[in-house]
Amino acid sequence: MSDWPLWEVFIRSQHGLAHKHVGSLHAPDAEMAIKNARDVYTRRNEGVSIWVVRSSDITASSPGDKEPLFDPANSKVYRYPAFYEVPKEIKNI
Amino acid sequence: MDNVLFEYLLRSGDNCLILSQRLSEWCGHGPVLEEDIALTNVALDLLGQARFWLSYAGEVEDAGRDEDKLAFLRDTRDFRNVLLVEQPSGDYAHTTARQFYFDAWHYLALGELSHSSDGRIAAIAEKARKEAAYHLERSVDWIIRLGDGTEESHHRMQCAADALWMYTGELFEMDEIDRAAEERGIGPNLTALRAPWRVQVERTFAEATLQVPAGQWMQRGGKRGVHTEKLGYVLAEMQFLQRAYPGSQW
Amino acid sequence: MATAGIQTNPDEFQERIDAGIKIEPKDAMPDAYRKTLIRQISQHAHSEIVGQLPEGNWITRAPSLKRKAILLAKVQDEAGHGLYLYSAAETLGVTREQMIEDLLAGKAKYSSIFNYPTLTWADIGAIGWLVDGSAIINQIPICRCSYGPYARAMVRICKEETFHQRQGFEIMLTLSRGTAEQKAMAQDALNRWWWPSLMMHGPSDKDSKHSAQSMKWKIKLFSNDELRQKFVDQTVPQAEFLGLTIPDKELKWNPERGHYDFGQIDWDEFQNIVQGNGPCNQERLQARISAHRDGAWVREAAAAYAQKHPRGARRSA
């Protein structure tokens, strides 16, 4: 089984939301990973579409870069609608 | 009672029930967790189908027997499954060969039954056919992987394919029940399924680098209740509680 | 996946935990935290896998087709839960293969409850009701534990687990409303599974060697004794409803504490079973060893096939 690589599984539910990471599993190749994902992660009707990605193919942001990556977004309040003043009598905006 | 219909339903129900019982022996003992889970899904599908067929059989018989009475209180001679499905699970190659031979036939048979003149049969078959399509996809996949895997797996897969071959003829046999069912549009001409089944086997085995077994002599009898010795043990285990505590609710 | 070796300042790490920030796989973490988690998660995974066996015994003997389907689905869920947990542990840099080897070599532990035999059908009811009941009480807090992948796996497991206890209780209910023989069967199962279920929450707080640090790290949120008390309090009225007697003469409601008092657990028995002397330790392990050994050629074949035929090379059927 050391030869069966690890795969990350993403499932799109019936409600039209995007694929969501649900867990991982082992499979010898992509085809069997899809089948295994179907059998392991949709036993309760959880999905209508499956993606599998080899875990080793995922590039993740480094936790050490958290501050430079994500803190700058904190200061851009003008990106949010609540930042703007709209007079009470104005509707539909 | 409509005996043809009753017998016909028992055959479908018993095939699913006994194969499911065999597959469920693997639960907790599979070769890898993912496969343990996947094979149990097949067992669950077949068990669900068995319940539909047997419930309907009980209604047709109209003698107060429900799915459980039919499953747990009939003896070997009254079971109508083909011999193939009662064969022991053996190693994973035997389980795979048994499953592939059955799935390839089951998928075709259910396709025909989904056009049955009997609406209830057509509805059950329509639902079951989708499940069988996936079962077949899986068993084709495993035949190929084991056949074309390692030297050992190839050898095991070929042995299993050969050993179970003699139980495949019965799937296409037509007796008086089958003929009567065909005349009434209830079920298909099973003999006509042999050619497409054979195509599936040849194509799959070719890709799996396996030889299609050459044996001509076929075992028969399951559909008439003349089984291999193994079924008695399957039933002894399956029926134990209902036999030991007659009339109880569980 | 693992990034062992990143040095962590234990105080900073503890501050993050105290602030309720989840620890994720690539985050720096103290080695002891990683090791404790691997031990705890893999033990938990092993318990699910070994836990398939005592109930799996009865799949082929279930007394009705409905019960057979339910039991199959339940034992299958346990395989799934084992899989989710092994995956969570794998994010810490250990492979499933390694964890399974440790289990099969007798180096890793699993829940001792599964070393007791399932002798009658009522045991399937008792396991669902009591053993899964205990497990749920232990597991729900872990959905909030500090390690992200473990917490997420537990959320999924707890969601799926809810039917397990109910199906067990339903079996017990049916039996206790059935014939005299069936009711006796139910009582006998309760007699045999009650004490082992209390042991499932682990040694008493004063004897629990891992507890304090694990609670600080929030990979354990309540003490063993707290969880055990909760289990007793919620189960006693259920037993009364069933008309069954809990096998503990000292069991009685304590209005001052607002809890049930209960008798002494036989910790000697517990320790012996943990050490491998339970009635089924050997056969449980042997069953896992056989499954793994007999499955080796299948796993190798599938891997060999994938090597020979890189993706997309074939399509049959």
Side-chain angles (χ1 to χ4, degrees):
Chain A
M1 203 195 69
S2 40
D3 296 331
W4 284 29
L6 192 66
W7 301 77
E8 300 302 322
V9 180
F10 300 82
I11 304 265
R12 179 150 52 75
S13 69
Q14 270 139 341
H15 312 298
L17 298 173
H19 284 78
K20 183 171 175 250
H21 183 241
V22 293
S24 41
L25 49 74
H26 287 275
D29 56 28
E31 196 184 340
M32 191 143 272
I34 290 273
K35 286 201 181 77
N36 288 346
R38 179 263 191 198
D39 283 311
V40 172
Y41 287 106
T42 68
R43 299 200 304 284
R44 288 176 170 79
N45 221 350
E46 290 94 334
V48 293
S49 166
I50 301 172
W51 288 348
V52 292
V53 184
R54 246 182 222 256
S55 309
S56 58
D57 286 344
I58 291 183
T59 309
S61 62
S62 152
D65 290 342
K66 209 175 261 175
E67 289 173 10
L69 283 179
F70 306 116
D71 283 2
N74 282 342
S75 55
K76 310 216 170 27
V77 282
Y78 44 81
R79 289 194 195 274
Y80 300 92
F83 179 73
Y84 301 93
E85 210 168 294
V86 179
K88 264 200 199 82
E89 45 279 11
I90 299 297
K91 303 289 177 208
N92 299 320
I93 191 165
Chain B
M1 194 229 335
D2 184 340
N3 191 54
V4 168
L5 185 56
F6 178 64
E7 284 281 325
Y8 208 76
L9 291 166
L10 284 186
R11 288 174 182 189
S12 296
D14 290 347
N15 280 341
C16 295
L17 176 62
I18 300 301
L19 186 53
S20 168
Q21 177 78 4
R22 279 299 193 195
L23 290 176
S24 69
E25 297 164 358
W26 278 105
C27 187
H29 304 274
V32 60
L33 263 181
E34 283 80 355
E35 187 58 17
D36 200 309
I37 295 168
L39 197 66
T40 302
N41 273 342
V42 179
L44 277 167
D45 285 346
L46 289 170
L47 180 55
Q49 294 173 22
R51 296 180 65 189
F52 282 123
W53 294 127
L54 293 179
S55 295
Y56 187 21
E59 289 170 38
V60 168
E61 188 193 33
D62 197 21
R65 291 203 284 184
D66 60 9
E67 57 176 40
D68 286 333
K69 288 209 171 70
L70 287 170
F72 294 98
L73 299 175
R74 277 180 299 150
D75 202 351
T76 316
R77 295 286 279 109
D78 295 321
F79 268 77
R80 294 290 181 257
N81 57 281
V82 291
L83 303 176
L84 175 66
V85 297
E86 71 201 41
Q87 298 312 306
S89 295
D91 66 4
Y92 217 65
H94 281 78
T95 292
T96 303
R98 183 182 64 195
Q99 197 63 35
F100 170 64
Y101 287 149
F102 181 78
D103 290 341
W105 170 84
H106 199 209
Y107 179 67
L108 293 168
L110 289 169
E112 296 293 326
L113 286 172
S114 65
H115 307 299
S116 173
S117 61
D118 182 301
R120 180 95 169 260
I121 289 183
I124 297 172
E126 182 56 35
K127 179 179 184 295
R129 199 170 63 99
K130 293 177 201 156
E131 296 171 348
Y134 184 70
H135 302 167
L136 178 59
E137 204 182 307
R138 258 182 49 83
S139 52
V140 164
D141 204 54
W142 273 110
I143 291 274
I144 293 169
R145 283 167 194 273
L146 297 182
D148 191 18
T150 60
E151 208 173 306
E152 181 185 3
S153 73
H154 176 83
H155 175 70
R156 283 175 182 265
M157 198 60 248
Q158 186 69 59
C159 288
D162 292 346
L164 291 165
W165 182 250
M166 65 180 175
Y167 298 109
T168 58
E170 196 184 11
L171 296 166
F172 309 103
E173 195 179 75
M174 291 288 282
D175 65 6
E176 60 279 18
I177 298 286
D178 296 307
R179 276 189 293 273
E182 190 198 358
E183 269 164 35
R184 290 165 53 187
I186 294 173
N189 176 358
L190 294 169
T191 312
L193 302 183
R194 192 197 304 266
W197 181 85
R198 174 97 195 175
V199 168
Q200 173 80 70
V201 171
E202 284 172 359
R203 199 170 49 190
T204 306
F205 279 24
E207 201 171 339
T209 70
L210 295 168
Q211 299 292 319
V212 177
Q216 296 289 318
W217 181 255
M218 292 289 160
Q219 303 299 329
R220 48 166 53 168
K223 285 158 71 161
R224 291 179 288 114
V226 182
H227 290 274
T228 57
E229 289 177 348
K230 292 119 187 168
L231 184 66
Y233 292 97
V234 173
L235 298 185
E237 188 170 335
M238 184 173 84
Q239 298 181 338
F240 147 70
L241 273 169
Q242 291 260 359
R243 300 287 194 183
Y245 301 90
S248 305
Q249 296 299 309
W250 301 93
Chain C
M1 290 297 283
T3 47
I6 293 182
Q7 285 308 306
T8 353
N9 174 339
D11 293 335
E12 270 175 34
F13 183 76
Q14 190 60 47
E15 276 168 29
R16 293 191 58 192
I17 299 231
D18 293 342
I21 298 171
K22 288 265 186 278
I23 309 300
E24 293 296 338
K26 295 180 88 185
D27 293 350
M29 59 185 88
D31 232 28
Y33 178 82
R34 181 188 302 276
K35 281 197 183 126
T36 304
L37 270 175
I38 290 176
R39 182 177 51 78
Q40 185 175 331
I41 301 173
S42 64
Q43 270 184 21
H44 194 162
H46 299 328
S47 300
E48 298 281 354
I49 301 310
V50 177
Q52 286 187 279
L53 299 169
E55 289 177 280
N57 264 333
W58 283 88
I59 293 172
T60 53
R61 289 181 289 172
S64 73
L65 298 183
K66 182 181 99 175
R67 292 282 174 217
K68 192 188 288 292
I70 293 170
L71 188 57
L72 253 179
K74 175 182 193 276
V75 178
Q76 183 198 40
D77 271 355
E78 279 149 17
H81 297 171
L83 193 154
Y84 308 155
L85 289 162
Y86 283 128
S87 301
E90 282 183 278
T91 63
L92 291 158
V94 60
T95 64
R96 193 200 293 178
E97 186 75 4
Q98 183 59 50
M99 290 184 269
I100 288 177
E101 265 168 36
D102 287 349
L103 170 69
L104 301 187
K107 284 193 258 172
K109 301 241 179 315
Y110 57 86
S111 182
S112 281
I113 191 99
F114 301 119
N115 291 318
Y116 290 91
T118 49
L119 302 178
T120 72
W121 172 250
D123 290 16
I124 301 307
I127 289 182
W129 173 39
L130 302 173
V131 177
D132 290 303
S134 279
I136 290 170
I137 286 181
N138 289 348
Q139 287 169 357
I140 284 178
I142 306 177
C143 297
R144 293 183 282 117
C145 79
S146 63
Y147 188 58
Y150 190 22
R152 290 190 284 274
M154 288 315 303
V155 168
R156 194 174 182 92
I157 289 170
C158 286
K159 225 190 261 176
E160 296 185 351
E161 194 95 30
T162 45
F163 99 81
H164 294 183
Q165 192 187 12
R166 282 190 189 188
Q167 66 86 35
F169 187 77
E170 194 188 85
I171 289 174
M172 295 303 273
L173 189 60
T174 309
L175 293 175
S176 51
R177 288 177 177 172
T179 63
E181 268 175 317
Q182 285 178 305
K183 190 165 182 184
M185 198 188 270
Q187 180 64 55
D188 168 61
L190 172 57
N191 293 348
R192 284 182 289 110
W193 290 95
W194 174 255
W195 290 105
S197 300
L198 293 195
M199 295 175 194
M200 273 182 76
H201 305 279
S204 175
D205 294 349
K206 59 184 188 327
D207 303 318
S208 176
K209 57 180 177 182
H210 301 299
S211 276
Q213 181 61 65
S214 292
M215 288 187 73
K216 218 172 142 205
W217 277 334
K218 291 194 186 163
I219 49 186
K220 184 173 174 62
L221 289 103
F222 293 96
S223 79
N224 294 349
D225 287 334
E226 283 173 311
L227 294 166
R228 189 166 14 248
Q229 183 70 58
K230 187 162 188 227
F231 172 73
V232 172
D233 290 348
Q234 84 173 34
T235 308
V236 172
Q238 295 166 357
E240 281 168 4
F241 183 86
L242 292 172
L244 300 177
T245 309
I246 287 175
D248 178 0
K249 291 203 171 67
E250 294 169 51
L251 184 78
K252 75 168 188 292
W253 178 251
N254 181 333
E256 275 163 46
R257 288 203 310 130
H259 293 291
Y260 283 94
D261 290 337
F262 53 95
Q264 261 304 313
I265 291 169
D266 183 349
W267 292 115
D268 191 36
E269 176 176 320
F270 176 78
Q271 285 307 337
N272 262 288
I273 292 179
V274 172
Q275 299 311 319
N277 297 327
C280 300
N281 290 60
Q282 289 182 25
E283 54 195 283
R284 298 290 184 247
L285 208 52
Q286 195 50 51
R288 289 313 311 157
I289 290 169
S290 301
H292 193 69
R293 193 189 49 207
D294 296 346
W297 70 271
V298 179
R299 298 189 298 274
E300 281 158 20
Y305 178 86
Q307 288 255 302
K308 277 192 254 183
H309 305 271
R311 60 171 302 173
R314 64 161 270 253
R315 195 52 248 159
S316 177

